[in-house]
Amino acid sequence: MTWDQMQQLMWPATWETLGMVGIATLATLAVGLPLGLLLVLTDKGGLLQNPAVARVLGVVVNVGRSVPFVILIVALIPFTRWVTGTSLGWQAASVPLAVGAIPFFARLVETSVREVEPGLVEALQAMGASTATIVRKTLLPEALPALIASLTTTVIALIGYSAMAGTVGGGGLGNLAITYGYQRFETGFMWVIVAELVIIVTALQLLGDLTARRLSHRGEHAGPLALLRTATAKPGARDQDPVSSH
Amino acid sequence: MITTKGLTKVYRSRGREVTALHGVDLHVREGEVFGVVGTSGAGKSTLIRCVNLLERPTSGTVTVDGVELTALPGDEQRAGRELREARRRIGMVFQHFNLLASRTVQQNVELPLEIIGLDRTQRRRKAAELLDLVGLADKARSYPSQLSGGQKQRVGIARALAGDPKVLLSDEATSALDPETTRSVLKLLRDLNRQLGLTVLLITHEMDVIKTVCDSAALMRGGRVVESGALTDLLADNSSRLARDLFPLGDFASGHPGRTVLEITFQGDTPAQPFVSQLARTYQIDINILGAAVETIAGRMVGRMRVELPGAHADNVVPIGYLREQGLQVDVLDFDANGAAA
Ligand SMILES: Nc1ncnc2c1ncn2[C@@H]1O[C@H](COP(=O)(O)OP(=O)(O)OP(=O)(O)O)[C@@H](O)[C@H]1O
Ligand SMILES: [Mg+2]
């Protein structure tokens, strides 16, 4: 197999993987973020304390997290068909990916939001802030670095799961690696694909870490990275960036 | 300005009940700095958190600036609109500052203004003014993590003042600070109280804090206010536990029969020095000074002196009368009763 041949196969597969992971990520954010917040808010002592809702949400998330992904793909076929009109292709694969990632991400969001100092919520309450304001102005911004880290973890997990979704008719890099490497014994090609996945995952992790640190003003990350930033910034630019970044 | 009546708070957790407040009546007058002291677990934090209803009292009423907050709708987690509006007029500073790490100093100060709904230009102007007031104009663009404890608390104070509150609540605002920083933060509070006519209710476990900034104080023990009043009144009251803690002269261990021990307290303009020598000269008696201290409390000079006169109490009626005529407060320590000075 020549490099050209490999490339011809790899590009479309890469786009398929990024497509299904991208769509699944957007859906996960849209549903998982509010779900994770609700897990915190409806819990005992939370701003929207509601034991019944808290229990239901907890059960839903736990069930969602314990169903094996392969089973989820199969079980969701009717739902996938209803949403995307088909059960094949990368668009269809993004549905079970999202459904699988939502409870996972929701738990991470929950943990991130719980780490916000209760004192900050209290300070906002003392200022006369409503619950919505407290969420908007304290819980989310203060948890942002942790939320970015959670999102990074989720996206990387999604890339892993996308290989599985791919083998069940979703396409993408994972599928390619299995069809060629495992079924047609093109071991070299398989390793090339694995290398590409490693590069993608590493790049995403790096991007996530950098963003999270960039947004964290807690001072604990004022290590080499901050020094690097100061060293490379134009004179005066550093004074302005905290303002322009908000 | 702040009145609580019969304030009771019972915490229930896992079937156990803790009564943190037993019917507390507190009255803080407009424009004064009122300090609450007491040992750990006395209920001080619970009390101050009940004032802006961060904690819902189990029973009793809280009135701040003429509004009965306890009558406004809402529960512990969700305050109703009226209560939220009332809270905007009550500033609060915290022991651990509670500044948002994700916001700059200026943005932290702007936060209450965002909640009130001021526009950007107004917010900026107000925040700049406040930071100037607390002496941190040059730190507007720093993040809280880049500030010292004292600076953080100044930001906390600026933020608490953003909504032009009439009342400032402070729960151990200086407990996380070193003595010198404590002094400067207390001075700031005192200045704000004077300049803005701000009523301040502060919690502390340090008598020094009361001495430096308060006009009035209350002593809490076991969820009750056991003593309260203006410091000058408390100091004039020989039975005041608070006054004794504020102004200790050491223990009065024992006296000799046939001698009289007096505790003389003088305030303000009463001449501090000459009365001892005058007394000695006028009545030709030897005065033994056992202890003395002079302090500035609530902005007034207060002195207390413990002296011993020869002769029993009955022999000293005339000299004691003379001292009282001079406007001094004189208490005769009766060493027959055990531990009279305690
Ligand atoms: N949320 C709570 N749940 C149960 N009990 C509580 C709660 N908060 C306070 N208490 C109890 O109420 C009592 C008074 O507590 P509070 O925090 O008001 O004391 P404090 O005077 O502020 O003490 P410190 O000087 O240590 O801050 C204590 O016995 C405490 O254990
Ligand atoms: Mg306390």
Side-chain angles (χ1 to χ4, degrees), chain B residues 11-31:
Chain B
Y11 288 110
R12 290 190 180 81
S13 55
R14 294 192 202 90
R16 285 196 339 118
E17 286 195 357
V18 178
T19 308
L21 297 177
H22 289 273
V24 169
D25 297 319
L26 199 72
H27 183 67
V28 179
R29 282 169 300 174
E30 184 162 2

Side-chain angles (χ1 to χ4, degrees), chain B residues 128-178:
Chain B
E129 246 173 62
L130 288 164
L131 286 174
D132 210 33
L133 191 67
V134 300
L136 281 180
D138 57 328
K139 296 285 185 196
R141 288 181 168 187
S142 303
Y143 282 89
S145 60
Q146 300 166 319
L147 302 182
S148 71
Q151 291 171 329
K152 282 183 198 164
Q153 197 56 289
R154 283 168 184 271
V155 178
I157 292 171
R159 183 179 69 174
L161 295 177
D164 288 324
K166 292 185 141 183
V167 173
L168 189 69
L169 306 177
S170 153
D171 191 356
E172 310 252 12
T174 57
S175 299
L177 307 174
D178 64 61

Side-chain angles (χ1 to χ4, degrees), chain B residues 7-308:
Chain B
L7 210 56
T8 299
K9 175 72 189 182
V10 182
Y11 288 110
R12 290 190 180 81
S13 55
R14 294 192 202 90
R16 285 196 339 118
E17 286 195 357
V18 178
T19 308
L21 297 177
H22 289 273
V24 169
D25 297 319
L26 199 72
H27 183 67
V28 179
R29 282 169 300 174
E30 184 162 2
E32 75 174 343
V33 181
F34 193 106
V36 179
V37 271
T39 47
S40 189
K44 306 181 298 291
S45 296
T46 308
L47 173 62
I48 204 166
R49 290 162 52 80
C50 277
V51 170
N52 60 359
L53 259 62
L54 282 179
E55 213 79 73
R56 276 266 162 189
T58 312
S59 64
T61 61
V62 174
T63 308
V64 178
D65 197 16
V67 182
E68 191 184 327
L69 300 185
T70 34
L72 303 178
D75 60 30
E76 213 150 88
Q77 271 79 30
R78 267 158 291 180
R81 189 180 47 82
E82 290 153 297
L83 177 55
R84 292 204 307 272
E85 267 158 25
R87 279 176 175 169
R88 291 171 194 173
R89 313 281 296 155
I90 305 175
M92 192 168 198
V93 287
F94 304 86
Q95 179 173 2
H96 299 294
F97 324 123
N98 295 352
L99 301 177
L100 274 68
S102 59
R103 286 175 168 242
T104 61
V105 163
Q106 178 182 339
Q107 291 165 339
N108 264 287
V109 177
E110 284 187 22
L111 183 55
L113 303 170
E114 289 170 25
I115 292 169
I116 292 169
L118 284 192
D119 68 37
R120 202 182 162 82
T121 6
Q122 286 174 300
R123 289 202 309 259
R124 292 221 157 163
R125 189 173 336 115
K126 183 85 195 176
E129 246 173 62
L130 288 164
L131 286 174
D132 210 33
L133 191 67
V134 300
L136 281 180
D138 57 328
K139 296 285 185 196
R141 288 181 168 187
S142 303
Y143 282 89
S145 60
Q146 300 166 319
L147 302 182
S148 71
Q151 291 171 329
K152 282 183 198 164
Q153 197 56 289
R154 283 168 184 271
V155 178
I157 292 171
R159 183 179 69 174
L161 295 177
D164 288 324
K166 292 185 141 183
V167 173
L168 189 69
L169 306 177
S170 153
D171 191 356
E172 310 252 12
T174 57
S175 299
L177 307 174
D178 64 61
E180 194 174 328
T181 315
T182 294
R183 229 168 294 134
S184 82
V185 168
L186 289 177
K187 182 171 180 305
L188 174 64
L189 283 180
R190 182 85 226 181
D191 291 348
L192 293 171
N193 159 257
R194 296 258 165 82
Q195 282 172 28
L196 312 173
L198 199 63
T199 307
V200 181
L201 174 60
L202 64 82
I203 303 290
T204 181
H205 60 258
E206 293 161 287
M207 276 295 167
D208 249 8
V209 172
I210 302 275
K211 221 183 283 188
T212 332
V213 291
C214 293
D215 301 301
S216 299
L219 174 66
M220 285 191 78
R221 202 187 299 142
R224 291 190 168 83
V225 168
V226 292
E227 215 181 280
S228 89
L231 287 195
T232 43
D233 295 343
L234 290 173
L235 285 168
D237 175 4
N238 191 49
S239 66
S240 166
R241 176 64 215 279
L242 204 49
R244 242 157 235 293
D245 287 346
L246 271 174
F247 204 170
L249 264 190
D251 281 340
F252 173 55
S254 66
H256 303 286
R259 299 207 146 243
T260 305
V261 176
L262 303 180
E263 213 162 81
I264 303 165
T265 307
F266 46 92
Q267 294 194 31
D269 307 327
T270 324
Q273 261 315 306
F275 67 84
V276 177
S277 51
Q278 278 169 8
L279 187 69
R281 236 180 292 122
T282 316
Y283 298 98
Q284 297 292 317
I285 46 178
D286 295 324
I287 299 170
N288 187 14
I289 296 176
L290 302 175
V294 177
E295 299 226 32
T296 305
I297 296 178
R300 286 176 59 157
M301 199 186 65
V302 181
R304 184 170 280 176
M305 182 180 272
R306 192 177 288 156
V307 299
E308 196 182 43

